[in-house]
Amino acid sequence: MLNFLPAPLIGLIAFSLLAINSFFWVPILLFLAVVKLLLPFRAVRLRLDPVLVRIAEAWIVCNSGWMALTQKAHWDVQGIEGLDPRGWYLVNCNHQSWADILVLQHLLTRRIPLLKFFLKQQLLWVPIMGLAWWALDFPFMRRHGEEALKAHPELRARDQETTRLACEKFSLIPTSVMNFCEGTRFTRDKHQRQQSPYRHLLKPKAGGIALALNVMGDKFRAILDVTIVYPEGAPNFWEFLCGKMPRVRVRVQKLAVPRHLATGDYANDPAIREAFQQWIQQIWQDKDAQIERLFAGH
């Protein structure tokens, strides 16, 4: 444990270990991804995709190693027992920080299949990692404001098609589809601008999770509803590297897949859309109450 060192030095060490880890695994990942790109056959994909997943899991396990070396966080975790690394899951979580992703990967890797995130298009250009996400078939989404969507409704259909194609790839081998329903990280400014009815959450967006269920609802074993709380405040990425995450509380609940909603037409059926929004809003109300209890130490 290096937590006795000054925080900036810990951050520098953690960043260096993350970079070394990435520089080792990502070139191997990219080589196999190029092979898959040049030989776009189902048989090749079925052979190479599991290998790519194992490489990504090795990268995550190494990240957990440097986290254990540089951090002295107290982890209060419940609900990760009895998960199946060979089953498909839809994972839903509140979102506060880039640290959320490292927390989720640390806790869930090899307990469930590799988490696949829907990412903003701009993240494709993140050095090294953007290429790794591309190699692993992470879908890149263009984020459009409400004004743009009203002026150009075809943009919504384009993102829906991207989601559909990604989910079709995910259905080939066991995969965990990761969704942050808030669509962005929580901040008090965003919370106030939205006039969110929830105390600790932004308003949930149901479209992405609805489409994933529509395409893969028959595959998902369960929905994993994950709640993350940082009692001393959510650290940004640099603060996380510096070991400034003294405590984290995580609760994972298994929810049944709503089959009647998964088979409905969310995009074109107003009744299904209303039922889906009521379903996700109830989950969000329960999550908001749970966050309140976790902040209180219960």
Side-chain angles (χ1 to χ4, degrees):
M1 297 290 289
L2 302 178
N3 56 287
F4 63 91
L5 296 172
L9 182 55
I10 292 174
L12 183 60
I13 293 171
F15 180 79
S16 299
L17 293 173
L18 172 60
I20 292 169
N21 187 29
S22 301
F23 277 119
F24 178 82
W25 291 112
V26 172
I28 303 172
L29 196 71
L30 290 178
F31 173 76
L32 294 176
V34 170
V35 173
K36 188 172 69 170
L37 184 66
L38 295 175
L39 300 172
F41 308 112
R42 180 184 175 89
V44 174
R45 176 176 285 275
L46 288 173
R47 289 291 184 89
L48 287 185
D49 278 356
V51 179
L52 291 166
V53 166
R54 295 293 176 267
I55 293 170
E57 289 177 342
W59 177 79
I60 292 168
V61 169
C62 291
N63 284 340
S64 293
W66 63 252
M67 286 165 57
L69 180 67
T70 59
Q71 306 234 349
K72 194 183 178 181
H74 177 263
W75 295 73
D76 175 6
V77 181
Q78 295 179 17
I80 59 174
E81 304 81 12
L83 301 175
D84 185 359
R86 295 167 296 179
W88 279 261
Y89 291 97
L90 178 58
V91 183
N92 175 54
C93 185
N94 60 314
H95 193 20
Q96 307 154 85
S97 164
W98 270 90
D100 298 340
I101 296 173
L102 290 168
V103 167
L104 288 166
Q105 289 177 334
H106 172 70
L107 292 176
L108 297 178
T109 292
R110 295 184 177 171
R111 294 181 182 273
I112 62 175
L114 182 70
L115 291 167
K116 297 286 185 78
F117 296 83
F118 289 86
L119 300 170
K120 292 186 292 186
Q121 182 73 25
Q122 299 92 316
L123 294 179
L124 178 59
W125 309 111
V126 172
I128 303 174
M129 294 312 304
L131 289 172
W133 292 324
W134 167 81
L136 289 164
D137 288 324
F138 283 37
F140 291 91
M141 314 291 290
R142 295 185 183 274
R143 296 288 174 83
H144 307 289
E146 286 301 319
E147 293 300 321
L149 290 173
K150 288 177 182 176
H152 302 282
E154 70 276 7
L155 296 176
R156 194 185 303 273
R158 196 178 301 166
D159 272 355
Q160 289 174 345
E161 180 64 9
T162 300
T163 304
R164 185 187 66 79
L165 291 173
C167 288
E168 287 180 354
K169 292 179 182 178
F170 295 164
S171 67
L172 294 177
I173 64 170
T175 303
S176 300
V177 180
M178 181 68 226
N179 187 66
F180 291 117
C181 277
E182 292 163 292
T184 184
R185 284 166 286 171
F186 177 94
T187 67
R188 286 297 167 190
D189 286 343
K190 294 174 186 176
H191 184 266
Q192 291 174 3
R193 285 199 302 271
Q194 278 193 358
Q195 296 184 329
S196 173
Y198 311 101
R199 184 170 181 182
H200 303 287
L201 299 164
L202 301 178
K203 294 178 181 178
K205 298 178 180 179
I209 195 170
L211 192 56
L213 282 173
N214 190 240
V215 177
M216 296 179 60
D218 60 331
K219 289 277 190 181
F220 289 131
R221 176 161 300 187
I223 297 171
L224 298 185
D225 184 48
V226 183
T227 302
I228 300 176
V229 165
Y230 305 97
E232 282 74 33
N236 61 34
F237 187 58
W238 176 245
E239 289 170 340
F240 180 83
L241 291 178
C242 291
K244 295 182 178 180
M245 185 187 75
R247 288 186 296 165
V248 58
R249 293 185 174 131
V250 182
R251 298 294 182 268
V252 180
Q253 292 180 291
K254 285 185 187 177
L255 303 179
V257 175
R259 303 294 177 185
H260 64 295
L261 297 179
T263 56
D265 187 350
Y266 179 86
N268 300 305
D269 187 335
I272 289 292
R273 188 159 56 248
E274 176 63 24
F276 216 108
Q277 289 172 349
Q278 289 179 359
W279 173 76
I280 196 68
Q281 286 167 10
Q282 183 59 57
I283 291 175
W284 235 234
Q285 289 172 12
D286 295 343
K287 184 183 291 292
D288 202 44
Q290 184 178 51
I291 290 173
E292 184 69 20
R293 293 193 297 272
L294 289 171
F295 270 121
H298 303 303

